[in-house]
Amino acid sequence: MSEVVKLRRDGAVLELELDRPKANAIDLATSREMGEAFKAFRDDPDLRVAIVSTAGDRFFSAGWDLKSAADGDAVDGDYGVGGFGGLQELRDLNKPVIAAVNGMAVGGGFELALSADLIYCSEHSTFALPEIRAGTLADAATVKLPKRIPYHVAMDLLFTGRWMDAQEAQRWGLVNEVLASDKLMARARETARMLASGPPLVFASIKEVARAAEAMTFQDAMNKITKRQFASVDVLYDSEDNKEGALAFAEKRDPVWKGR
């Protein structure tokens, strides 16, 4: 744990808090550190869920650190494992990730939130992709956003760089819930604990299939599932947890998940 990337472990839940005043902007060194933290989370069998949050309540993250860029950080430099912010390109991350957005999520900060599976935000949070005004591409958002919200709404944000408030974000399904600032982390932790008690092998299968299916037809994806050509599905179907789920249902009791 460093002064910038703060890690807190609560049972099977990892909390990663970015603390880089004033705007929680991400430079190359911070991105690499975040990537190593998320990689360790991915590879630790005792960790099942992660929460990503940032310090303060004004900025969730301003994204790419332009001051560091002016001092020599190259925009195409080494962001480390997982790409920018350590999360959006991290391969085989088959565990749930929750983003707790408190404040402005701008550019790469917005893209960091989009890299999570669930997004909770505070009532005063806002979202924007201002890259268009700087004559550049919001690359990850251009790929992801039209798949998350209606195409014409995504294009509006990308083409204009305008701000979207928390209420509009919830209306379009961009965020799961809008909460008071003082209730945000409590809600994220409540969900994380619930997910941590769930079946990790099923979560892994859900994430792998959903990720791969974005580039496949429905039938191709279904065929790959039934033929057990997804690694996580193959593991799941032969697992103790798979048998335990059916047995617990038949015995009308809560299942005991072992992750194997």
Side-chain angles (χ1 to χ4, degrees):
M1 183 170 67
S2 72
E3 293 183 0
V4 172
V5 179
K6 299 178 179 178
L7 303 178
R8 176 177 178 268
R9 189 165 179 153
D10 180 14
V13 178
L14 176 72
E15 294 184 19
L16 184 151
E17 181 188 61
L18 174 63
D19 186 0
R20 281 195 87 222
K22 301 178 180 179
N24 292 315
I26 299 172
D27 62 0
L28 291 178
T30 301
S31 181
R32 290 193 291 267
E33 187 175 353
M34 293 173 71
E36 290 301 321
F38 284 122
K39 178 177 178 289
F41 161 69
R42 180 196 66 187
D43 296 341
D44 188 335
D46 294 326
L47 288 172
R48 297 189 175 184
V49 185
I51 301 172
V52 56
S53 66
T54 58
D57 60 4
R58 186 178 178 212
F59 277 94
F60 171 70
S61 174
W64 174 237
D65 189 337
L66 293 177
K67 290 183 179 179
S68 293
D71 290 336
D73 267 10
V75 69
D76 58 350
D78 178 13
Y79 293 106
V81 61
F84 180 81
L87 187 58
Q88 63 188 17
E89 296 179 68
L90 185 60
R91 292 181 178 274
D92 301 322
L93 178 54
N94 291 334
K95 299 177 181 181
V97 178
I98 301 167
V101 176
N102 193 16
M104 292 181 277
V106 188
F110 191 171
E111 292 173 334
L112 177 63
L114 285 173
S115 299
D117 302 295
L118 303 174
I119 304 175
Y120 297 138
C121 76
S122 61
E123 294 170 327
H124 71 279
S125 293
T126 52
F127 303 83
L129 297 164
E131 285 87 345
I132 186 71
R133 298 174 186 171
T136 192
L137 174 71
D139 49 11
T142 301
V143 175
K144 292 182 178 182
L145 197 59
K147 298 176 182 178
R148 306 294 180 83
I149 61 177
Y151 175 85
H152 63 281
V153 180
M155 290 299 107
D156 179 25
L157 292 174
L158 289 162
F159 285 161
T160 68
R162 73 171 178 86
W163 289 96
M164 173 182 280
D165 64 23
Q167 290 70 34
E168 184 184 2
Q170 186 176 36
R171 185 165 75 247
W172 294 122
L174 179 66
V175 302
N176 294 86
E177 290 184 38
V178 178
L179 304 114
S181 293
D182 60 353
K183 298 183 184 303
L184 177 63
M185 286 304 298
R187 181 69 178 101
R189 287 167 179 152
E190 177 188 26
T191 300
R193 287 192 294 270
M194 182 270 291
L195 293 176
S197 68
L201 298 182
V202 179
F203 292 153
S205 295
I206 290 170
K207 288 202 65 170
E208 183 183 11
V209 172
R211 188 169 57 242
E214 286 188 348
M216 303 172 70
T217 67
F218 172 79
Q219 196 58 58
D220 285 345
M222 289 299 297
N223 289 342
K224 196 166 181 176
I225 292 170
T226 56
K227 293 177 181 177
R228 297 171 58 156
Q229 292 175 347
F230 289 108
S232 60
V233 174
D234 189 46
V235 170
L236 171 66
Y237 283 176
D238 281 335
S239 68
E240 292 180 34
D241 278 3
N242 192 248
K243 296 180 179 66
E244 167 66 6
L247 187 62
F249 180 81
E251 295 176 353
K252 298 181 180 180
R253 60 173 175 81
D254 291 333
V256 179
W257 307 117
K258 298 179 179 178
R260 62 177 187 266

